[in-house]
Structure formats: C-alpha cells, structure tokens
Amino acid sequence: MSWEDNVRKVVPYTPGEQPKIKNIIKLNTNENPYPPAPGVVEALKNMDVSDYRKYPDPSCTKLVDAIASFYSVDPEKVFVGVGSDDVLAMAFLTFFNSDKNILFPDITYSFYDVWADLYRIPYTQVPLKEDFTIDPEDYYVENGGVVIANPNAPTGVALPLSAIEEIVRKNSDVIVIVDEAYVDFGGESALPLIDKYDNLLVVQTFSKSRSMAGMRIGYAFGCKKLIKYLYDVKFSFNSYTMNMPSIELGAAAIADKDYFDKTRSMVIATRERAKKELKDLGFEFGDSMTNFIFAKHPDKHGKDIFDYLRQNGIIVRRFDLPRISEYLRISIGTDEEMDELIRVLRKFLKE
C-alpha cells in the first residue's frame, strides 16, 4: 500500500504553446490579433493599487451587471468565472452527477473529456459525421447531459440555432451546455433560448472576440435556478475566484460595443480572405464561423506543413489524433500576418 494508491490520477489538458521566441507569428491559440478596447487601458490607469489589499467582490457585481446590460438579461441569469474553462469546469461539477453517460462530440474542445475524467463523470464521445458536422439526432438518446461547442472547435463549423434548440428540447431532463467561445465570429447564439428552456446553459468568454485572453474572464447564461446552483458550487470551492483587475477591466471591455463590432468585423474579413487564398492553394476545410481555419492539403502531410511553417517563424496548431492528424488549426491574425502565412505556404508547395 502506498500513498499513491489514493492519488486522483488524470491525463491533463495540453494547452497551446506560448513560445518564448521573439519575432514569431503566433497563429496557434486563437487569440485576438487586436488589443483590448481603449476603455480597458483607461480603467487600468485609474485603478487604485491600494485596493489590492482587500478581497475582491465575491459576487463580481460590477462585471455581472455590465454583462447583463450588454445582453439585456437579468443579472441573476449571469454567472462569471476565471475564463470559460473555469465556468465549464464548475458546470460539469454541478450538473453532471448521474450514473448515465454525458455526450459530446469525438472531435471537439479537448478539455471536455479531461473534466469528465477528473470528476469521474461517465461519458460517450459521439463521432462527428464524415464532413465534421454534428448530427443532432445522435443526441436524441438517454444520457446524463450534453455538451456542444457551437461553433465547434477545432473544426470551426457551426450548427444552426434550430438544431441546437432541438437538442435542448429533446433532452429536457438533463442539462445541455452550449459552449459559445467563438460565436461572435459568425455563429448564432443560443442565448435567446434560456427563457424558454430551464435546462440550457450558454457559456461565452472574453478571450476571443474581446481580446482579453490574458485576463481570464468567462461567463454563462441560464435560468435563475440553474445559475444559483452554479454559484452554490463556486462558493463551496472558492469564494474569491475572480480578481479585482479582471472584474474592473472586464466591465470596461464589454461596455465598448463599437470597438467590439469593429475588431470582430476585421477578424471576419481577414478570415474570409484567408479562406479564398488557402482554397486557391488547394487546401480543404469546412466553412469556419470562428477566428481560425481548420485545414488540410490533399497532397501534403500535416506534420510536414506544420514543421515547415515553424522553421519559417510561424506557429500553428496540430493535433496528433485520429481523424484529424492531417489538419492544421490556423488562427486568424492580422492581414500582414496572414499574408506572410500564405507566402510561406506558397513557397512550401512549390518545393
């Protein structure tokens, strides 16, 4: 008998690389290429550092009210956490406690199975169709809960809202989580459905469309009872999960709708141009509604392209997993960064 016999052993999630190399084009973690809203800078300048000696507001009222105001929802229907990862982890812990398997796609955000293993939640990974789309009917079966990323990652493909609603409706006896980390780049949010279905939790983040990945701010919407259950678990875990700067700067970021709309539109425009240029080079990919493109080339191995790009100062993401090992997930950078990507790819394909 050893103390190790009582250790909870899990295979951890592997985050995208944060390289220490300078002068590199970083297109591997779906960060926004543009800085946060100007109001964030002003809020940072006006912070009173002496306040840091105090604990932050455990209810995160300023941030919750700002999110509720932006989306025109009741603050009691809003939950906030340290990035959407924290929000999702709390949701798994709170809502998935039956002996039935929860369901999520086999190709999706790779943290879902990690949380399920960590919390000892039984699960089934439902295969995507051949074209990497979700078949809603696969989720019309008995289960302990459903998790759908929409648009999906790493594929970038989105389900129409009607399909999401049907999944929620068909699973009225369990919680359905819709992870909308990328919804602002072209997907259709399920937020309008929270007043119609009390089993729906919609999760979003400041990390992508609001250029705040470094601040770790996530949030969720649901009916009041569902949100209360989430807070009960959060406060049983850690009352002060969000720090003071995140609360203040998050509230400033979401207040600037014009800047949000401007930078979001810039990312979408660059993505659409990159799609055309990649297609002209022979790459194949689904119709991404995110800030990345999940692409492969029919005549070249994914690892060879990945290695060549890295040798030329460009980092993208590759998952060495069944069905997707030939694909590269390419984050959308600035126009200049994407031009350099295309130039290097064109050179590689000629060699």
Side-chain angles (χ1 to χ4, degrees):
M1 184 71 175
S2 163
W3 58 265
E4 285 192 78
D5 295 332
N6 298 313
V7 171
R8 180 164 297 211
K9 301 181 182 74
V10 292
V11 178
Y13 169 75
T14 303
E17 180 187 1
Q18 296 293 340
K20 304 296 189 290
I21 311 164
K22 292 184 178 179
N23 301 319
I24 201 160
I25 295 177
K26 188 174 180 298
L27 305 177
N28 68 322
T29 49
N30 301 339
E31 294 144 333
N32 198 306
Y34 303 106
V40 174
V41 179
E42 288 304 309
L44 190 58
K45 287 179 182 176
N46 295 328
M47 276 188 181
D48 186 349
V49 178
S50 66
D51 285 342
Y52 293 174
R53 65 187 174 80
K54 305 172 186 176
Y55 286 111
D57 172 15
S59 298
C60 309
T61 305
K62 186 170 184 177
L63 178 59
V64 167
D65 286 350
I67 293 170
S69 176
F70 183 88
Y71 290 100
S72 300
V73 301
D74 188 321
E76 290 185 77
K77 297 178 181 178
V78 179
F79 177 88
V80 295
V82 186
S84 60
D85 288 343
D86 179 50
V87 175
L88 288 162
M90 287 292 149
F92 271 57
L93 186 60
T94 304
F95 300 120
F96 298 152
N97 293 288
S98 78
D99 56 0
K100 298 174 184 176
N101 286 26
I102 66 169
L103 307 178
F104 49 84
D106 64 333
I107 301 171
T108 190
Y109 185 31
S110 53
F111 225 140
Y112 299 157
D113 60 326
V114 174
W115 287 316
D117 287 334
L118 176 64
Y119 296 135
R120 305 296 191 256
I121 300 166
Y123 62 93
T124 298
Q125 293 173 296
V126 182
L128 295 179
K129 293 193 291 187
E130 201 63 35
D131 63 356
F132 290 161
T133 58
I134 291 171
D135 185 345
E137 292 190 7
D138 288 340
Y139 297 85
Y140 302 169
V141 296
E142 189 175 14
N143 62 74
V146 175
V147 187
I148 300 288
N150 196 48
N152 196 17
T155 65
V157 179
L159 269 180
L161 184 58
S162 58
I164 291 291
E165 179 169 10
E166 195 62 9
I167 291 172
V168 176
R169 190 179 70 80
K170 293 276 191 178
N171 289 280
S172 60
D173 58 340
V174 298
I175 296 300
V176 177
I177 298 174
V178 181
D179 181 356
E180 296 184 343
Y182 301 98
V183 74
D184 293 326
F185 299 110
E188 190 175 4
S189 179
L191 174 58
L193 300 179
I194 65 168
D195 291 328
K196 189 174 180 181
Y197 301 97
D198 62 3
N199 63 318
L200 171 64
L201 184 74
V202 178
V203 180
Q204 296 190 14
T205 178
F206 278 57
S207 295
K208 317 300 182 185
S209 57
R210 298 188 189 277
S211 306
M212 298 280 280
M215 290 307 299
R216 313 307 301 124
I217 304 171
Y219 53 108
F221 303 102
C223 72
K224 292 180 182 180
K225 182 189 288 188
L226 189 151
I227 295 300
K228 180 187 182 301
Y229 284 140
L230 262 181
Y231 274 115
D232 287 346
V233 171
K234 173 186 175 178
F235 292 143
S236 301
F237 185 82
N238 185 343
S239 293
Y240 301 105
T241 52
M242 293 207 72
N243 63 53
M244 201 176 291
S246 292
I247 295 170
E248 291 291 328
L249 302 184
I254 204 164
D256 195 336
K257 185 178 186 304
D258 289 342
Y259 185 82
F260 167 70
D261 288 338
K262 175 186 174 183
T263 53
R264 178 177 59 163
S265 297
M266 290 166 67
V267 170
I268 292 171
T270 302
R271 179 193 70 206
E272 293 305 304
R273 185 169 67 90
K275 282 182 187 177
K276 181 180 183 305
E277 291 174 329
L278 286 170
K279 193 166 289 185
D280 289 345
L281 293 177
F283 281 88
E284 300 172 352
F285 47 86
D287 189 17
S288 175
M289 291 290 109
T290 62
N291 66 337
F292 61 83
I293 299 169
F294 193 58
K296 72 171 183 177
H297 199 283
D299 302 323
K300 300 291 183 179
H301 289 299
K303 188 174 188 312
D304 292 340
I305 305 173
F306 175 87
D307 290 341
Y308 187 86
L309 288 173
R310 190 180 183 91
Q311 291 160 12
N312 285 269
I314 302 173
I315 298 180
V316 296
R317 188 107 194 245
R318 175 176 173 268
F319 301 90
D320 193 12
L321 297 169
R323 299 183 69 189
I324 60 172
S325 60
E326 293 301 324
Y327 284 80
L328 302 176
R329 194 191 68 188
I330 304 166
S331 302
I332 302 302
T334 62
D335 284 329
E336 293 75 18
E337 289 172 332
M338 301 308 286
D339 286 345
E340 178 63 9
L341 169 76
I342 297 300
R343 186 192 71 78
V344 173
L345 286 173
R346 188 176 288 118
K347 181 182 174 185
F348 170 76
L349 293 171
K350 286 180 179 177
E351 291 184 357

